[in-house]
Each structure stands twice: as structure tokens, then as C-alpha cells.
Amino acid sequence: MAADLACGLLAGAAAVVVRFGEVTPYVTPYLLLSLVLPVLWVAMVGLNRAYEARLIGVGSEEFRRITQCGFFLTAGVAITAYVTKTDLARGYVVLALPLMTVLTLSCRYGLRRRLHVMRARGLCMRRVVAVGHRASVADLVRLFRREPYHGMEIVGACLPREDFMEDVEGVPALGDFSDIPLVVCQAAADTVAVLACPELDGTALRRLAWRLEKTRTDLVVAPALMEVAGPRTTIRPVAGLPLLHVEHPELSGVRQLLKNLFDRTVAAVAIAVLAPVLTALALAVRATSPGPALFRQTRVGRDGVEFTILKLRTMSRDAERHKIHLVSDGDGLLFKIRGDPRVTPLGGWLRRHSLDELPQLLNVLLGHMSLVGPRPPLPEEVAGYGDDVRRRLVVRPGMTGLWQVNGRSDLSWEESVRLDLRYVENWSLMLDLQILWKTWSAVARGSGAY
């Protein structure tokens, strides 16, 4: 709230300086308005419930509500000035309100990054009691430990009576389903996460909510479709029952056409801008090791159609012939090795910063790939796919994706598949933009690339 007040004050002051330049009697009302503007801004943000703790730190909803506030406040000021026939300098409004929105979004992003750093150190975490069967609780524990920026730390578990004597992934099992309120007090928890299980039906959950209400403990319920999120799910009350409506992912139609247009336009612009860089890198590859600058390999695209992927060559010319003598560090179908002896010194640097993948912009331009999507697999990998994993092939593979911004080659096979399937089920143009934004930091760090 203090940050929002500061952003409002700074935006008002900047608008006065830029629009009027000097303080005169005519400017005095705008100085007063600039003092009122931060209070009005905080009130608008509060009315739009953008200070709720559940929105802070994770997801795009926080930024969406701030953007809404900026739009509605600008529209409200314009309409009020028109109706009351107030002579309001349009230059001041056009500068102050959009600038205030942009400053607030930037400040919130900075605060979010700071919060994520603190949570990675174990600070600012919510203490959670997980309720469900052992396998589901174990999955949730691993997920929260892998992604601490969500701010959830499981400090205890409630399992079925026959199971609760043993710990789950190092988390103590403190009771069964009848002991949940007592376990919350014992673990000093502020949140209860209930996973899908037949024992906790609608009646049992309602009674649990009544018991937790007295201690102001939050109750969150994970549906059975845990990988389906965002706009695809809506709550629709029918005959007094809250039904969770799940829409099918849009794998064709107008939104896919827009995605394709966006991909090819960005790829064409990027190729034009990066042409000198690509040329310099290609010459460097040719100069530092014998062989062609580009590496061509058959990959599998949408609907199982094969295509030739383009990369800058990062290995020795006869790398594929030596592959049979190497043992993969991976635990699934992916072949990956730390310190691969076939990688050239320049190739290691190119891989670390994903510069070897820049020629794939041509694949995007030709429609073989997308900017964002699942990892493009090899034909021998696809031959070993099960029915669930084959779901990855219903969309175009991408230059980047959730796998790129969540660990790259450090991911296990199962985690790589889970992230790709999550993208397929929940893709949107906004999600693509978020992934592209996060790709910059992942590439700059260079972690997980080998």
C-alpha cells in the first residue's frame, strides 16, 4: 500500500512538471489533485481487492486487477469531468493516470521478485497442513518444495487412519481426518489443503470449514483435475450445487490462428534484427571447429509430422557416431549428459545461453514450430511414448516453454512431461507472453543447460 501511494504521488508530480513546467496560480489545483490522487488510487485498488494476500506473489491476477484499476480510474475521471463540465487539462490526465498504472505494475513486479527471493530462503511462507491419501500428499510436498515461490510450506499431514503412523517425504503425519483442527493448532498452521479423496465429501468439507472458521484458518481444496487451471475452469451453481465446469482446450480455431500469426510475425522481425548476430555466431562455429555451422536433425512436430530442426552446431562433426558409447544421465527417454565430451568449448557457451537455438526462428517462420510449446522430441523418443505422453503432439513444439523456465535439462523425465502436458491443457496467448518474459532470465542465468 505504501508503494502504491508512492507511485501515485510520483506520477502526479511528474505530470505537473511535464505538462505545466512551473508553478503558477493556474497549476495550484493540479498540485492539490496530485496530493489527492495517491489516496484515490489506493482506495480504487482496495475496492478492486488487489490487496488480498492470496493474490500477492503468484499468478497474473494481481497485475490484471491493477490494470483494471488504471482503466476504470481514467474512464471515471474523464466521465466525471465531462458530466460536471470541469475544465481539466487533458495532458495532465493522459500523463498522470497511465504513468501511475505503469509505475505501480513495475513496483509490484519488483516487490514480487523480492518476495520470491525471501521465500527461496524459507521466509514469508504459509504453514500448511495437507489432508489426503499418502501418494497425493507426497506429490504436493514435492511440488511445493520444488517451487517455493508459491509461499506454501507443508508442516504436517493428515492421512487415513491406517496410514498416519509414518511420515510423508519428511513431513510428520500428525493425525487422521478426524484430527484436522487439532493438528492445525499443534502445527501452528494457517492453511489447510484438502486433496481429492472419497472420505472428504461435500458434507465432511462443509463441517470442516465450520470448525476451521473459529481459528480463521484458510481452507483450500485441490480438485481431481490438478493440471487444469485458469480460464478453463469456472464455478457454476446448479440447483444449489457449486459445479466445476471444465472447458476443453482450444487446439484449433481463431485463437490458434492468432497464435500462429503472432509467432510468425515475431519470428520474421527477430530474424531481421538478429541477422548480424546469427552470421557472426555461424562464422565463429566454423572458425573454432571443423564442420558446418548449422546442425540439422529430424524432430517430430504437431500430429506426429516430422520436420528438420535447425541449430547452430555445438558438438564435434562426428558427435552422433560417438553417442552409442555414452550413457545418459537421464531417467527417461531423454538423452542428456553433464559435461558431454562431444560439446565444443564454444558450443558449451552457446548452449548455456540458448544461442544455438536462434536458427529455430526459421522453423517458426515456416510453421514447423511455435515460439512457445512443448520440447520438440526425437522420433525414437516418440516411439516410446505412452498414450498420455503422446498428448504433447497435439500442438506445435516450441523454442521455449514451461520446461525452459523451470529447470531445462535439470528436470526429470516425469517433470518435463508434466510441464509439457500442463502447457497443452492451459495454453493461451497471455501464458505465451509470460513464458517469453521469463525465458530471458532463465537464459541469462544459464542454469540447467548442458
Side-chain angles (χ1 to χ4, degrees), residues 259 262-263 364 369-374 395-403 423 428 431-433 435-436 439:
K259 175 181 171 67
F262 172 78
D263 287 341
V364 176
M369 295 178 63
S370 174
L371 291 175
V372 181
V395 298
R396 289 188 180 93
M399 291 183 62
T400 185
L402 288 174
W403 47 274
Y423 175 80
S428 67
L431 178 60
D432 283 6
L433 293 175
I435 292 173
L436 288 171
T439 297

Side-chain angles (χ1 to χ4, degrees), residues 231-345:
R232 285 187 57 203
T233 58
T234 53
I235 301 293
R236 295 187 178 182
V238 178
L241 297 175
L243 300 183
L244 183 67
H245 180 78
V246 182
E247 297 179 0
H248 296 296
E250 293 192 37
L251 303 176
S252 60
V254 176
R255 291 180 65 202
Q256 278 286 353
L257 289 176
L258 290 175
K259 175 181 171 67
N260 190 25
L261 179 62
F262 172 78
D263 287 341
R264 297 194 183 202
T265 301
V266 172
V269 173
I271 289 172
V273 172
L274 297 176
V277 176
L278 283 167
T279 302
L281 292 176
L283 292 174
V285 171
R286 290 292 303 271
T288 54
S289 63
L294 288 179
F295 172 72
R296 294 173 171 84
Q297 190 177 48
T298 300
R299 296 293 180 100
V300 180
R302 184 176 183 179
D303 298 326
V305 177
E306 295 184 354
F307 68 97
T308 300
I309 198 171
L310 300 175
K311 290 186 176 186
L312 289 172
R313 184 174 54 81
T314 59
M315 294 185 176
S316 57
R317 184 167 47 185
D318 54 354
E320 289 299 304
R321 192 167 69 247
H322 293 300
K323 182 177 179 180
I324 59 174
H325 304 297
L326 302 173
V327 179
S328 174
D329 294 336
D331 55 355
L333 297 176
L334 293 180
F335 184 89
K336 51 187 180 182
I337 301 177
R338 290 183 181 272
D340 193 327
R342 302 172 299 165
V343 177
T344 65

Side-chain angles (χ1 to χ4, degrees), residues 53-72:
R54 65 184 179 87
L55 302 179
I56 303 297
V58 179
S60 60
E61 182 64 18
E62 177 186 4
F63 300 126
R64 189 182 70 83
R65 293 196 183 193
I66 294 296
T67 305
Q68 278 184 341
C69 290
F71 176 80
F72 289 136

Side-chain angles (χ1 to χ4, degrees), residues 53 56-58 112-126 147-152:
I56 303 297
V58 179
R112 173 173 291 197
R113 294 299 298 269
R114 177 174 176 269
L115 178 61
H116 288 179
V117 171
M118 296 176 69
R119 284 177 171 173
R121 298 171 181 167
L123 304 175
C124 300
M125 304 292 282
R126 307 198 68 173
E147 301 177 0
Y149 63 87
H150 288 292
M152 297 284 193

